Amino acid sequence: MAATPAGENALVHAATLVREAVPPIHPGGRPVIGAVAAAAGAARLLTGRGTGVGLLATGLTALFFRAPKRVPPPITGAVLAPADGTVALIEDVVPPPELDLPREPVARVSVFLSVLDVHVQRIPVHGRVRSLQYVPGVFLSADLDKASTDNERNAMVLETRTGHALGIVQIAGLLARRIVCSVAAGDEVAAGETYGLIRFGSRVDTYLPPGVRPQVAVGQRTIGGETPLAVLA
């Protein structure tokens, strides 16, 4: 069989590099991207203008819903950050009732996501989804402390194989109007895998098991599925 021309190999290699450099889009964002693209196309047909603005709006929307590949670190017992963002709060608090965890103070790490951050959420530990509870609420700015109790949110309890229970709460923000969660109670999940999405500005709270202390600081940047928030005993 004849060898493939060198020029073709170079093109295939370049295409592979480009494909690997462009992160995939979360399925929950595809309808929104399609709607923005359709609106931009309609505006172009009706006015004959706005091509550049329409392409920019579509591109920025696609960028918001990116879901880049992440590789969890080889740290036994690591509790990984469930989202990209900035550690906004670290406090000892009683978990909210919807988590159905013991009513005793535990460490809560709150990660705030700006509109420029990756907005998919990731599983922080290997384990099983013990429960899920959606709670309707208001849409205060997600960086406020009372957003944990007042805002629309989706609460999940994960149970590890070692018997630890963690609470992870997706919290809608000032601009967010939709929380997506793709797992169900009873599902076996792996650390680092994508499980949810919050559209346009939000926050994710992680409630650590009793006695487990955070290994991050307020103001620190986190990478979802890679940055260890804490290590289980």
Side-chain angles (χ1 to χ4, degrees):
M1 181 181 293
T4 304
E8 184 176 340
N9 283 340
L11 290 174
V12 170
H13 180 65
T16 301
L17 291 177
V18 171
R19 185 170 61 252
E20 291 177 349
V22 177
I25 300 298
H26 189 280
R30 292 171 186 166
V32 181
I33 298 169
V36 173
R44 177 69 176 84
L45 290 174
L46 292 173
T47 66
R49 297 180 296 176
T51 301
V53 173
L55 290 174
L56 179 61
T58 303
L60 290 176
T61 304
L63 184 66
F64 178 87
F65 290 108
R66 65 197 184 278
K69 179 181 177 181
R70 296 289 164 76
V71 180
I75 302 174
T76 302
V79 179
L80 305 179
D84 288 30
T86 303
V87 178
L89 295 167
I90 297 178
E91 298 177 303
D92 287 349
V93 298
V94 175
E98 59 265 19
L99 284 174
D100 195 24
L101 292 172
R103 305 300 291 168
E104 59 179 292
V106 296
R108 180 185 70 194
V109 180
S110 301
V111 175
F112 174 72
L113 295 75
S114 76
V115 294
L116 299 178
D117 285 312
V118 172
H119 269 65
V120 298
Q121 285 77 61
R122 299 174 189 274
I123 297 293
V125 293
H126 297 297
R128 179 180 63 87
V129 179
R130 193 169 81 184
S131 64
L132 283 168
Q133 180 68 48
Y134 167 77
V135 182
V138 297
F139 299 96
L140 303 174
S141 178
D143 59 347
L144 297 176
D145 182 53
K146 61 182 179 180
S148 293
T149 55
D150 293 358
N151 280 24
E152 177 180 309
R153 56 199 182 274
N154 188 66
M156 174 173 65
V157 175
L158 288 176
E159 188 170 3
T160 71
R161 297 185 180 94
T162 55
H164 292 92
L166 299 87
I168 300 90
V169 184
Q170 300 166 282
I171 302 173
L174 187 64
L175 299 178
R177 288 295 185 271
R178 178 73 191 278
I179 296 175
V180 177
C181 181
S182 59
V183 295
D187 285 355
E188 296 290 333
V189 291
E193 72 180 24
T194 299
Y195 83 93
L197 170 73
I198 313 175
R199 295 178 182 170
F200 304 116
S202 51
R203 169 174 152 184
V204 182
D205 286 350
T206 301
Y207 293 82
L208 298 173
V212 177
R213 303 310 304 170
Q215 297 188 0
V216 290
V218 172
Q220 180 177 337
R221 291 284 301 170
T222 61
I223 299 175
E226 293 188 355
T227 301
L229 296 183
V231 177
L232 301 177

